[in-house]
Amino acid sequence: MTGLATEDTLIRNASDVEIFARRCFLGSPGDQVGIELEFLVFDRTAPALQVPMARIADALPPLPGGSLVTFEPGGQLELSGPPGSLPVAIALLTADVNAVRLALRDAGLALGGVGLDPLRPARRQLRLPRYEVMARFLGTPYGSLMMCSTASIQVNLDLGDRPAVRWERAHLLGPVLVAAFANSPLSEGRPCGWMSGRQAVWERLDRTRTASVPASADPGAAWAEYLLDARLMAVRDTTGNGGNGNGAEPYHPVLDGSTFRDRLASSGHPPTLADLNYHATTLFPPVRPRGWLEIRYLDAQHPASWPVCAAVTHALVMDDRAADAALAAAGPCAEMWSSAARHGLSDPLLRRAAGACFRAALSALPRLGAPPSLVCEVAAFADRHVTPGRAPAADLLDLARGPGGRLPDWLAEEGRI
C-alpha cells in the first residue's frame, strides 16, 4: 500500500485515510463472484428453542465445494463459497448447502432461510472479544437483534476496470433488490410491521456506520469521508493491560461518540494502519469496498432459492446491457430504502422496477454463462413473487396469520424452509 507500508504505520491525517480508502477500490479487474450465506438453524422437534452452536458444528459434514464455515454471534451458520464465475460459484456453494441440509436433517435440525428469526428472542452464544465490544457499543434491543437474530446473503463482486460504475450500480439497485428479496416480516411469532425486518434492524443502529456511503463521482474520497466521520467502536489498549490473558485483541469500546476524525485531531498517540483497518471492519454500510464490492443488503433466502438472489444481483451489476435497462427503471427508487424494507413489492413503483430488473437479468444470464436451469429458477421466482407483487415475506405472513399456528411446523419441516 503506497504510503502505508505496515500495520504499524501511523495514520497522521485525513490524507493517510484517503490513501487507505482508495486502496479499497483497487482489486481484480475480472467478473468473479463470491457468495456468503447465513442461515438460522432450527430444531425440527422444537423450533422455538435455541440450537447450541456446538450441536450444529458436530453435525456438519465435509463440504465438497470447499466453502468456509463460520458462525455468527447468535449461532447462525455461515457458508462462504469459493469465488469464481457465476456458474462455478453457484455450483460449488449449492453442493455444500445440499450436504449441510442432509447432515443437519439427520441430526434433527433444519436450515432456516429467513432474514430475521421469526420465533426466538435474541441470545448470544459467541463471546469473542470483538463481539463483547460490539454488544456494548450497539446496545439493546437492535444491537442484540442484529448480532444474534439476523441472517443475510452477501454477494461479493469484482470491481472490474470501472470500479466507480459497479459501485454506483450496486447502490442504485439496492432498494429494488431489498424489496424483491424481502424475507423477514416476523419477530417472536408476530408481524413486525416490515417486510424486511432485518433491514429495519440495521436502520435502527448507529447510522454513522450503517447508512449508505453518500453518492459521489469519486467513491474513494466518499469512502474516506465515511471512515473519518463514523464513530469509533473500539480502540486498542496501549497500556498493556487491555487483554484478557488469552492472546485476544486488547480493544475496549468507545462510548463517548467520538469519530475517527476526532481521534486524528486529538493530542494522543496517532492511530496506526491496523487501527484504521479494524475501524473499517466495524462499519456496515449496505455496500462496502474491500478490494471488491460487498453487497450486504439482501435478506437470507430459502436454501433452494438463494441462487436466484445471487444471480440477479450479479447480472444487474456486472452486465452493462442489463444494468442500463435495470437502472432506467430502478433510478427513481434509489432513495427508497425504508419504503422497500417496510412494504416490499406491495409498493407499485418498486414492483414495476423489480419487474424490469428481473427481465434485464433474465436476458443477461445466458450471456454470463448461467445454465438453463438457473435461468428457469430466476423466471419461476419472478412469476411467483415479482409479477404478483408478493415478496417472499408474504408467504411467511400468511403462515403467521393463518389458522392453526402453522409457522413452527413449517420452520421445522426440512425442505420447506
Side-chain angles (χ1 to χ4, degrees):
M1 181 177 292
T2 304
L4 300 176
T6 69
E7 291 290 279
D8 294 329
T9 300
L10 297 180
I11 305 295
R12 298 186 179 277
N13 51 46
S15 295
D16 288 343
V17 175
E18 185 167 340
I19 291 171
F20 173 89
R22 292 192 181 281
R23 292 291 298 180
C24 293
F25 288 90
L26 298 179
S28 170
D31 296 317
Q32 291 197 115
V33 58
I35 306 159
E36 301 176 26
L37 305 177
E38 293 174 350
F39 291 107
L40 300 162
V41 179
F42 293 90
D43 186 311
R44 297 178 66 209
T45 62
L49 299 181
Q50 187 182 50
V51 179
M53 194 170 60
R55 182 181 171 193
I56 303 169
D58 289 345
L60 292 176
L63 298 184
S67 293
L68 176 67
V69 176
T70 53
F71 288 91
E72 292 298 305
Q76 306 96 311
L77 175 66
E78 181 172 5
L79 302 178
S80 301
S85 66
L86 179 67
V88 169
I90 287 181
L92 291 173
L93 190 50
T94 296
D96 290 344
V97 171
N98 289 340
V100 168
R101 290 176 76 184
L102 289 173
L104 292 187
R105 181 180 182 181
D106 289 344
L109 303 173
L111 291 179
V114 288
L116 179 66
D117 197 311
L119 284 181
R120 303 170 298 192
R123 292 193 182 95
R124 186 153 59 98
Q125 298 195 51
L126 280 179
R127 297 288 171 179
L128 300 176
R130 173 180 172 87
Y131 297 137
E132 295 293 327
V133 166
M134 190 178 294
R136 287 193 60 191
F137 182 90
L138 296 175
T140 58
Y142 297 109
S144 298
L145 282 170
M146 182 276 285
M147 294 174 67
C148 303
S149 299
T150 61
S152 70
I153 293 177
Q154 182 170 301
V155 180
N156 302 315
L157 300 175
D158 278 344
L159 287 156
D161 56 7
R162 294 184 296 163
V165 171
R166 291 184 178 177
W167 171 257
E168 181 182 39
R169 290 172 181 172
H171 283 88
L172 294 177
L173 293 164
V176 174
L177 295 178
V178 166
F181 294 106
N183 191 35
S184 49
L186 305 172
S187 180
E188 298 193 34
R190 299 181 298 275
C192 65
W194 297 73
M195 298 299 272
S196 177
R198 173 188 165 275
Q199 189 72 10
V201 167
W202 281 102
E203 288 192 6
R204 285 163 167 75
L205 298 175
D206 170 26
R207 296 300 285 164
T208 73
R209 63 186 358 93
T210 62
S212 294
V213 179
S216 171
D218 185 349
W223 180 230
E225 290 298 303
Y226 195 99
L227 288 163
L228 286 163
D229 291 334
R231 293 170 58 197
L232 288 165
M233 179 178 286
V235 296
R236 284 192 297 175
D237 188 305
T238 58
T239 67
N241 298 317
N244 61 7
N246 63 1
E249 294 174 327
Y251 283 90
H252 60 83
V254 177
L255 304 177
D256 62 4
S258 59
T259 66
F260 200 89
R261 192 187 300 274
D262 294 332
R263 186 175 181 191
L264 286 177
S266 71
S267 58
H269 191 270
T272 65
L273 176 58
D275 295 324
L276 176 55
N277 188 62
Y278 182 87
H279 176 61
T281 69
T282 72
L283 307 185
F284 310 109
V287 186
R288 185 169 66 176
R290 295 191 64 189
W292 60 89
L293 293 183
E294 290 182 346
I295 295 177
R296 305 174 53 86
Y297 47 68
L298 299 163
D299 279 358
Q301 302 293 307
H302 185 293
S305 298
W306 65 264
V308 174
C309 186
V312 170
T313 304
H314 178 274
L316 298 182
V317 174
M318 308 295 256
D319 185 271
D320 291 341
R321 287 162 58 187
D324 288 345
L327 293 178
C333 308
E335 301 302 322
M336 295 178 63
W337 291 96
S338 291
S339 183
R342 184 176 290 278
H343 302 295
L345 293 176
S346 66
D347 182 286
L349 185 60
L350 288 163
R351 181 170 67 252
R352 287 193 296 271
C357 287
F358 268 72
R359 288 191 294 273
L362 283 166
S363 70
L365 286 169
R367 294 194 296 270
L368 297 170
S373 59
L374 179 57
V375 177
C376 288
E377 288 178 39
V378 174
F381 186 99
D383 289 342
R384 178 176 177 179
H385 296 292
V386 179
T387 301
R390 284 178 55 88
D395 293 340
L396 284 171
L397 284 173
D398 287 347
L399 285 168
R401 293 167 174 163
R406 293 180 294 158
L407 180 64
D409 292 338
W410 188 75
L411 289 170
E413 186 180 342
E414 196 278 336
R416 291 290 308 280
I417 183 68

